[in-house]
Each structure stands twice: as structure tokens, then as C-alpha cells.
Amino acid sequence: MQGIDAARVGRYSRAGVRWARLLASRRAAPGLRIFYGHDRIPAPGERAAGGTAKAQKLAERFPNRPGDFSLLYLGSTWLPRDLRPLLWLARRRGAAIVVNQDGVAYPGWAGERTDELNSTLRRALLAADHVLYQSEFSKSSADHFLGDPGATWEILPNAVDVGRFTPAQAPIEGGPVLLLGGDQTQAYRLELGLRTLAALTARHPEARLLITGRLVVSPEPLMDELGLRGRVHLLGEYAQRDAPAIFRRAHVLLHTKVNDPCPTLVIEAMACGLPVVHPASGGTAELVGDVAGIGVAHHDGWERDEPPSADALAEAVDRVLSDLPRYSTAARERAVGRYSLEPWLDRHRVVFERLAPR
């Protein structure tokens, strides 16, 4: 109990310091100074995901300015706890607000919390002067659950440093090797990855699976049931500096999440020459297209998540492996041609300079 009280006191103390600093400045002075809603942004190379990863990339060119900001940039997957007063402060100071809108809550994964979670997303969206939707799917799902923003908007997919995320220089020994990347924060994603590997072994007896990130269930019982011991390697969480080396250990990215709005993980894999096998829904289908992998059809709706069967995914993996050089080349070319970091940063500068006080 004392530990909980101490943690609460520490949190309140940090909040007090934060707001003393925020309130010290009055109206935003002319010029471009970006605040990402959080006092600290992960340094280059540190672990980052979702909204933290976008802020991490942007902050290298547009440093975080928590005190005297002229533009508030909010990622929908990393909204600050004190969002409501922060939006009030931005308006009071005449600072512009840009929202990078990713996904929404829907009954299939959020259940009874759908409305509660979406109310926070809606508050940020409706306060924006400009909205950057990460995919066409992000726009349509936000329209459905959050409403029209009433501000200018555009579609701007995520981006990666294609000079750092590059294909392996030498062939991977053994295999084929599949990668189940990112965090496995929904139990079905991990289970489906394991069952897909089991189905694939009938065609590829030496197939292996790498699994990264946080797990919400233990994989061991299902691994034993399916006879996958020795074929599955748990890599745990990783920092951004280690990501390219992990991708270079695999032949194919197996992305099992349905209705994923715009997973940067998929673009990183493609930049490293990994084709992507995935459920044909959400923004993933937009990223991969018809050339950089295979999307597998499944029941697609808001009320429940129903991914494809493991057999269907395994068949798609087998098709990709049968023509791997062509798919790998297409994945790399698509990432470089559509999702390079520099044009993404340049587009942000155009938006920022249009909105910032002069």
C-alpha cells in the first residue's frame, strides 16, 4: 500500500511541475515549436511503438518543446492523461492542434469499453485544426465511430527509414523462418501464429517461427499440444535500434491482426525485403497491396474479430515461399517507393508551417 501511495504522490508531483511550466508561458509566440503532449520522447533507438514511434521520428527533426510550444501534435495511440486541460491550454495560447489518427475502439476488441475509449479519441479529433489519417481504413473507421472532424484532413501513411531497414546481405540459413512481430497483445494473434506454423510444417518440415514483443498468454501449452517445441523462438521486447537485425532473421512476416489501421511493423518488414501474409482487412491491405505479399479473406466486421483460418494462412505462406525472390523484391520496392521517411517528414513540415502562428 505504501508503494502505491508513493507512486501516486510521485505522479502528482510530476504533474504539478509539468503544469507549472505549461502555465508559465502565455500566448504562443510566432515560429514553429512542436509539443507532442508528453514531456519526454523516446530517444533514437529506444523502444517505441505506435504514437511513441511517430513522435520519436518527428522529434529528431522537430524537437519536443513542452514549454513554449506553438503547435500541439497528438498521436491517437499515445494521448496524454491530461488531454482535456492540454487542449484548453493550446486554444488559450493560440497554438495549432494536429492529430495523427490511427485506429478506433470497436466492439470486436474493446467490448463494453468501446464508447468510453472512443470518447477520448473523439475529444482530440474534434479539437484538431488538421487531421492526418494513417490510412483510408483509419479515415472510414474514425468517420463511423468518432464522426467528421470538421477540420482539414489528409491520408498520410506511416513511414520508415529505408536506409536503415534494409534486406539481409546473406541468405538466411535453414528455414523457412516466419516472424510474428510487434506485441502479441491479443491472444488470438499468438494462437493463430502458432497454428499457422503447425499447418505449414506439412509442406515445410523445417519451418520455424520467431515471436517478438509482450505476450498476454503463455505459448507453451499450445506449443506442446501442436508439437512445436524447438521450432518457436521467443525474442521478447526489443528496441528500435535492434529491429532491422530481427527482420533480417526471417523470410516472411506473418501478421495475424485483423483490422490493423496502419502497422509500421509491416512497412519495416517490407523495407527489409520480407513479404507479408496477413488477414485482408484494415490498413494492412493498403500497405501491402497485391505485390508485396498475400492477404487472406475473412469475415470482416465490427462486432467480433474473426481472422482467417490457420490452414488458409499457411497456404498463403506456401505460395509466397514458392516465389520468394519476386515477392521480396516487390516488398522492398514498395516500401522505398511509398513509405520512405524523408517525404513523410517533409510533408509534416508543410503542414506545420501552414498552421503555426506567424
Side-chain angles (χ1 to χ4, degrees):
M1 181 66 71
Q2 289 180 342
I4 295 174
D5 290 341
R8 184 181 295 115
V9 170
R11 187 166 64 248
Y12 289 161
S13 297
R14 289 190 296 273
V17 171
R18 168 182 168 92
W19 275 93
R21 184 193 66 246
L22 287 169
L23 293 172
S25 299
R26 296 185 178 179
R27 189 161 186 85
L32 181 57
R33 296 175 305 281
I34 312 298
F35 180 34
Y36 301 97
H38 297 268
D39 293 344
R40 183 183 183 277
I41 306 300
E46 291 183 351
R47 176 171 167 78
T52 59
K54 278 177 278 294
Q56 183 184 59
K57 294 169 185 174
L58 286 164
E60 290 195 61
R61 181 175 292 191
F62 310 101
N64 193 30
R65 298 286 291 268
D68 61 342
F69 65 94
S70 62
L71 189 146
L72 178 62
Y73 186 98
L74 299 171
S76 65
T77 56
W78 196 38
L79 293 173
R81 291 176 180 266
D82 52 0
L83 174 65
R84 188 191 296 267
L86 194 56
L87 292 173
W88 167 83
L89 179 65
R91 286 296 180 221
R92 178 172 177 260
R93 295 182 55 184
I97 299 172
V98 174
V99 171
N100 189 302
Q101 178 61 40
D102 186 20
V104 298
Y106 62 91
W109 70 266
E112 295 180 353
R113 296 192 65 204
T114 296
D115 291 341
E116 172 195 348
L117 296 172
N118 281 335
S119 66
T120 303
L121 297 174
R122 186 179 298 108
R123 180 173 295 117
L125 189 75
L126 297 182
D129 296 295
H130 189 74
V131 182
L132 302 169
Y133 293 99
Q134 294 181 24
S135 62
E136 296 284 354
F137 174 80
S138 294
K139 177 66 168 68
S140 62
S141 59
D143 286 350
H144 182 78
F145 285 97
L146 308 181
D148 190 309
T152 58
W153 60 270
E154 63 187 273
I155 307 294
L156 186 66
N158 292 331
V160 303
D161 183 349
V162 297
R164 195 166 70 86
F165 287 87
T166 57
Q169 295 299 306
I172 301 168
E173 295 184 4
V177 181
L178 310 185
L179 172 64
L180 190 67
D183 286 323
Q184 314 311 318
T185 52
Q186 292 160 296
Y188 80 83
R189 294 164 61 181
L190 176 62
E191 177 181 351
L192 186 54
L194 293 172
R195 292 191 181 280
T196 299
L197 174 65
L200 187 66
T201 55
R203 304 177 179 90
H204 299 273
E206 303 302 316
R208 293 179 287 132
L209 178 66
L210 309 179
I211 300 174
T212 69
R214 293 180 289 115
L215 309 179
V216 295
V217 294
S218 172
E220 275 79 7
L222 186 57
M223 287 166 54
D224 289 338
E225 175 188 327
L226 299 175
L228 296 179
R229 288 285 182 176
R231 297 177 179 273
V232 178
H233 306 276
L234 304 176
L235 306 184
E237 299 181 45
Y238 59 90
Q240 279 297 100
R241 66 175 66 90
D242 302 320
I246 291 175
F247 288 112
R248 294 179 190 130
R249 293 174 59 181
H251 296 96
V252 176
L253 178 71
L254 178 64
H255 190 63
T256 55
K257 183 178 179 179
V258 303
N259 289 331
D260 206 347
C262 186
T264 302
L265 162 75
V266 166
I267 306 173
E268 292 172 340
M270 289 164 53
C272 292
L274 272 65
V276 184
V277 172
H278 61 94
S281 60
T284 306
E286 299 173 40
L287 296 177
V288 178
D290 297 327
V291 297
I294 295 177
V296 180
H298 65 103
H299 176 78
D300 184 14
W302 298 121
E303 295 306 314
R304 59 188 182 276
D305 285 338
E306 295 187 55
S309 70
D311 287 339
L313 286 171
E315 181 180 349
V317 171
D318 183 53
R319 287 168 55 196
V320 167
L321 291 172
S322 69
D323 199 4
L324 186 59
R326 181 176 69 83
Y327 277 109
S328 296
T329 299
R332 171 66 181 174
E333 290 177 349
R334 188 171 177 86
V336 172
R338 291 172 176 257
Y339 309 116
S340 295
L341 182 60
E342 287 304 314
W344 185 81
L345 292 171
D346 290 343
R347 180 57 196 166
H348 274 85
R349 177 172 289 281
V350 170
V351 172
F352 291 164
E353 290 181 344
R354 176 173 66 84
L355 294 173
R358 297 180 180 276

